[in-house]
Amino acid sequence: ILIVVYPYLTVLVAGAFILASLVKVFNVKELQAVYKLSLLTALAFLLIAPLPLLLHLGHPFRSYEIFLNPNFSSAMAMFGFVYAWYLMVVLILELWFTYRRDLIVWSETEKFPMKWIHRAIALFSTDISEKAVNFDKKVVKAITIIGIPSAFLLHGYVGFIFGSIKANPWWSSVLMPIVFLFSAIVSGIALVITLYMIIIPFKGGKIDMKCLDRMASFLFYAVIVDFSLELLDFIHRL
């Protein structure tokens, strides 16, 4: 069951990030309301995604050795580097530049200890000028452009690992990476919609129906493509 939980957590990460990328790269303005929520959702699930695999191992404390003694011929071992790239270079960097100005503003009005915590997270940056904020936006867009193929690689790689297992005929398929990718988009968008509809009323806010409708339309199209791929794969096996 732990092996099953792991790919499901990664699909949520990739899907949530792809939803966020629609705002910065494809300029879907209706989704601006869920941009930060999508990024935070992706980060939250990315941080816990390795836990099922670690709990499944007999000696989880040895897992760091894949970075110290990498086996370049092992697809599973190389996935550790793909995972680290996506976490450190894509998600954390994009979130830092997205929240840098907010962190500085919060630190100016808060008291100890949050004042110093936010200052430290902002790396003691104090520049919130228009030029600095515009630079942050440009960097975020560049990281998002890099992050889109990285998200495809993150979950397509999981599909590749499953698809390469010849012992299980229902997994062994060249379509498996693509099926995993569209399943990620479906699951990630559905999760963000659910969180948005729970968090906003809880905070006393008003749900943006244009944003919700836009997310639902993307979810609908993704479900159609995902179902078509699954059906095609099933017919091919018959």
Side-chain angles (χ1 to χ4, degrees):
I1 189 70
L2 293 174
I3 300 300
V4 176
V5 170
Y6 166 71
Y8 185 70
L9 292 178
T10 57
V11 302
L12 297 175
V13 174
F17 182 84
I18 290 171
L19 182 63
S21 70
L22 294 174
V23 179
K24 294 299 179 183
V25 178
F26 301 99
N27 200 28
V28 183
K29 296 180 180 179
E30 294 90 343
L31 300 179
Q32 185 65 48
V34 294
Y35 169 68
K36 291 182 178 179
L37 175 62
S38 299
L39 283 181
L40 291 173
T41 301
L43 178 63
F45 280 92
L46 189 66
L47 291 174
I48 65 170
L51 292 181
L53 291 183
L54 292 175
L55 293 173
H56 184 265
L57 294 175
H59 298 279
F61 296 107
R62 297 180 183 175
S63 59
Y64 70 92
E65 293 185 8
I66 66 171
F67 298 103
L68 300 181
N69 302 294
N71 181 0
F72 296 104
S73 62
S74 169
M76 299 184 94
M78 287 300 97
F79 186 71
F81 292 91
V82 174
Y83 195 93
W85 160 269
Y86 194 78
L87 175 63
M88 302 299 295
V89 179
V90 177
L91 266 184
I92 290 181
L93 265 184
E94 181 165 351
L95 274 167
W96 189 84
F97 280 102
T98 299
Y99 276 96
R100 190 190 67 85
R101 181 186 179 280
D102 294 334
L103 290 168
I104 295 171
V105 172
W106 294 339
S107 67
E108 292 176 350
T109 58
E110 292 172 331
K111 297 181 180 180
F112 182 84
M114 295 306 301
K115 179 184 183 74
W116 288 101
I117 291 175
H118 284 149
R119 279 189 178 181
I121 296 175
L123 301 180
F124 299 97
S125 173
T126 58
D127 189 359
I128 56 173
S129 63
E130 184 178 352
K131 181 179 179 181
V133 172
N134 288 334
F135 176 77
D136 290 343
K137 291 179 180 178
K138 291 179 181 178
V139 173
V140 166
K141 184 173 182 179
I143 295 173
T144 307
I145 293 173
I146 297 172
I148 293 174
S150 298
F152 289 175
L153 177 63
L154 175 72
H155 205 64
Y157 202 94
V158 179
F160 165 75
I161 291 175
F162 276 76
S164 63
I165 300 176
K166 304 300 182 182
N168 191 324
W170 288 104
W171 288 355
S172 181
S173 170
V174 294
L175 286 176
M176 194 59 69
I178 305 174
V179 170
F180 265 62
L181 182 58
F182 278 94
S183 297
I185 296 173
V186 170
S187 301
I189 295 176
L191 175 64
V192 174
I193 290 175
T194 303
L195 292 176
Y196 182 67
M197 294 182 67
I198 294 173
I199 293 173
I200 296 302
F202 181 78
K203 293 173 63 178
K206 184 178 179 181
I207 292 178
D208 186 341
M209 292 307 299
K210 289 184 178 180
C211 175
L212 193 61
D213 289 343
R214 193 69 165 172
M215 285 193 290
S217 66
F218 282 120
L219 177 61
F220 176 71
Y221 298 138
V223 167
I224 291 177
V225 175
D226 189 33
F227 179 78
S228 300
L229 288 170
E230 293 277 10
L231 183 62
L232 179 64
D233 187 43
F234 178 75
I235 293 174
H236 175 71
R237 292 177 189 282
L238 293 178

